[in-house]
Every structure is written in structure tokens, then in C-alpha cells.
């Protein structure tokens, strides 16, 4: 059985792997042996995790900020790493684009050595979502991810690329699997996206998302993106739960197709 690919440097799929995908399908994918350093890793020891009661209280504060639409409070609840790629105005714009939260319910609270994970169900006018919020020892949001298992795979990949293309790197990061989130930070996503545009020109629009290959464990989706100098596909690999486990930003984007 294929295991989720663990992409190479910065958690991104190498060009040789992508060539294999195109020529032989997803069966060619193998787990990468090079792993990125976990985001935020460094010599400073992490603050101990909150107690279960403290984590529950922090989760309520976070969810209340979302429910009330208070962008300043929500931004203040981000970890320093998340604040570096966001702002109160960006948070406000994102919140305006999302359905209003009607109510929420805490489902579980689990504390580890340096952080806590809270599972909650959020009820909106467009339906319910289960979200997992990872809270650090300061009571701040370290990262989060949403249960999208029942969504169409191509839609999930498309929404991920749309989030990146609009500068919502924290939202984009929420589409990654928990283990992939530890390998690549929102800041790294930002760096790769800006680096791509140095080769392709500025972003213009996101096109179609096409599911190219699939196995019981993996799905490969190609998302077309138009830039002002050329167009290219971003390769997005998802697992059976529609969590993203691999992304490739082309290192050598295809040039314009010559007119015969």
C-alpha cells in the first residue's frame, strides 16, 4: 500500500518525482527520504503545554473571536509565526469571505508536551465543519486544519491554490495534513509563491482543477494558474481524507506555447 509522499526540501515534490507521476501515474510515488526541519524548530525550548482546562478556555476565546467577527482579537490570538504572514486587515477580509458562525461545540481537548489540540464543530449557515486547533503554551493558535473529507478532491485543491494566490497563507496552510504542516510553515508557502512569480510574472488568475491520477490512498490534482508571462500547473497531492500531503511549485515553469 502506498504511504503518503513526504516531499523533499521544504516539503515540496521534486521534479523527478513529478516526471514519474506524469509518465507512470501515482503508483510511481515513493516516500521522500529528505525531510524539512519542522517549522519553528530552533534552540529555544518550547513553552510547556497548557493544562486541559487552560486549553479549553483558550479555545473558547478563539472561537468567540471567530463567532463575533472580531478580526483584531483573532489576529492577537495568532502565534508570532502566523502574525508574520498576516495582519488584522487580512484577517478581517478573510472573515468577511467566510460564512458567519452561528454556534460552536467543543468536542475534545488533548494536551501534549508543548501544545494542545482542540477539536470543535463550527455551525454556519452553509453547514457544519469540524476544525482542529493546535494551541501553544501561550494560548495562541500555532496552526489549524479542517475536516474536508467529504468535499470533492478537485475543489479542495482549487481552494488551496486560491488561498495561496490571494496571500492567505495561514488559510492555505490549514489545507495541509498535520504532519505536512510540521514540515512547511505558512512563511515557507509565501516564500515559494513569491519565488515562483519571479519566474512566471505576477499572478493573474486561478483556472481549472483537474484530478489527473488517483489510487485508494492518493489523488493527484493539477491546478492551472495564469501569470502575466505564462501559464502553468501546480501539482497538488492529497490523501484519502482530502488532506494535502504534497505540493509542487514548478522550478522551471513552462514558457508560452509558440503560435504555429
Amino acid at each position: 500500500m502506498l504511504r503518503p509522499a513526504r516531499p523533499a526540501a521544504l516539503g515540496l515534490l521534486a521534479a523527478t518525482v513529478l516526471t514519474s507521476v506524469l509518465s507512470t501515474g501515482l503508483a510511481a510515488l515513493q516516500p521522500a527520504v529528505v525531510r524539512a526541519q519542522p517549522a519553528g524548530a530552533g534552540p529555544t525550548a518550547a513553552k510547556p503545554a497548557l493544562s486541559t482546562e487552560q486549553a479549553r478556555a483558550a479555545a473558547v476565546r478563539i472561537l468567540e473571536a471567530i463567532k463575533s467577527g472580531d478580526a483584531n482579537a483573532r489576529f492577537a490570538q495568532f502565534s508570532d509565526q502566523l502574525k508574520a504572514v498576516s495582519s488584522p486587515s487580512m484577517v478581517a477580509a478573510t472573515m468577511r469571505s467566510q460564512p458567519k458562525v452561528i454556534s460552536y461545540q467543543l468536542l475534545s481537548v488533548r494536551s501534549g508536551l508543548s501544545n494542545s489540540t482542540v477539536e470543535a464543530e463550527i455551525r454556519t449557515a452553509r453547514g457544519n465543519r469540524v476544525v482542529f486547533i493546535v494551541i501553544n503554551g501561550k494560548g495562541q493558535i500555532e496552526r489549524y486544519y479542517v475536516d474536508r473529507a467529504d468535499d470533492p478532491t478537485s475543489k479542495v485543491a482549487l481552494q488551496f491554490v486560491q488561498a495561496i494566490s490571494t496571500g492567505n497563507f495561514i488559510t492555505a496552510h490549514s489545507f495541509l495534513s498535520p504532519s505536512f504542516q510540521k514540515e512547511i510553515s505558512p512563511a515557507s508557502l509565501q516564500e515559494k509563491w513569491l519565488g515562483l512569480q519571479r519566474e512566471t510574472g505576477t499572478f493573474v488568475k486561478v483556472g481549472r482543477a483537474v484530478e489527473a491520477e488517483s489510487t485508494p490512498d492518493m489523488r493527484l490534482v493539477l491546478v492551472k494558474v495564469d501569470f502575466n508571462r505564462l501559464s502553468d500547473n501546480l501539482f497538488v497531492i492529497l490523501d484519502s481524507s482530502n488532506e494535502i500531503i504534497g505540493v509542487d511549485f514548478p522550478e522551471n515553469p513552462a514558457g508560452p506555447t509558440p503560435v504555429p
Side-chain angles (χ1 to χ4, degrees), residues 37 51 78 99 101 107 141 146 151 158 175 186-187 192 239 244 260:
Q37 184 181 24
S51 67
F78 285 166
V101 174
L107 302 179
I141 302 170
V146 180
D151 289 351
L158 184 64
F175 284 82
K192 295 300 293 186
D239 63 16
I244 294 174

Side-chain angles (χ1 to χ4, degrees), residues 81-82 84-85 169 173 184-193:
Q81 183 186 61
L82 297 188
V85 294
F169 301 105
H173 196 251
I184 183 168
S185 67
S188 294
L189 287 176
Q190 180 185 47
E191 180 183 353
K192 295 300 293 186
W193 176 249

Side-chain angles (χ1 to χ4, degrees), residues 26 52-53 85 121 141 152 174 204 218:
L26 279 175
T52 300
E53 293 75 16
V85 294
E121 183 176 33
I141 302 170
S174 74
V204 176
M218 293 184 192

Side-chain angles (χ1 to χ4, degrees), residues 102-235:
I102 300 170
S103 64
Y104 61 83
Q105 178 183 4
L106 295 183
L107 302 179
S108 67
V109 179
R110 302 185 302 276
S111 288
L113 294 177
S114 61
N115 55 47
S116 306
T117 302
V118 175
E119 179 184 7
E121 183 176 33
I122 297 176
R123 301 182 180 92
T124 76
R126 298 183 195 171
N128 300 348
R129 283 286 192 186
V130 174
V131 59
F132 298 83
I133 307 170
V134 179
I135 301 173
N136 64 20
K138 298 178 180 180
Q140 300 170 323
I141 302 170
E142 193 73 25
R143 59 185 185 275
Y144 72 96
Y145 54 100
V146 180
D147 183 358
R148 299 182 175 90
D150 295 331
D151 289 351
T153 300
S154 58
K155 179 181 177 182
V156 173
L158 184 64
Q159 290 176 337
F160 165 73
V161 176
Q162 288 171 336
I164 287 182
S165 67
T166 53
N168 291 300
F169 301 105
I170 295 175
T171 300
H173 196 251
S174 74
F175 284 82
L176 308 184
S177 70
S179 56
F180 196 12
Q181 285 187 346
K182 295 177 182 179
E183 295 180 10
I184 183 168
S185 67
S188 294
L189 287 176
Q190 180 185 47
E191 180 183 353
K192 295 300 293 186
W193 176 249
L194 296 177
L196 175 63
Q197 290 180 84
R198 285 193 287 271
E199 301 294 330
T200 61
T202 56
F203 165 76
V204 176
K205 67 177 181 179
V206 177
R208 295 178 56 191
V210 178
E211 189 170 336
E213 292 281 352
S214 65
T215 74
D217 304 301
M218 293 184 192
R219 293 90 182 261
L220 170 65
V221 179
L222 309 183
V223 182
K224 183 183 178 184
V225 185
D226 294 333
F227 302 91
N228 70 339
R229 290 206 296 266
L230 53 86
S231 297
D232 213 327
N233 288 319
L234 297 190
F235 291 67

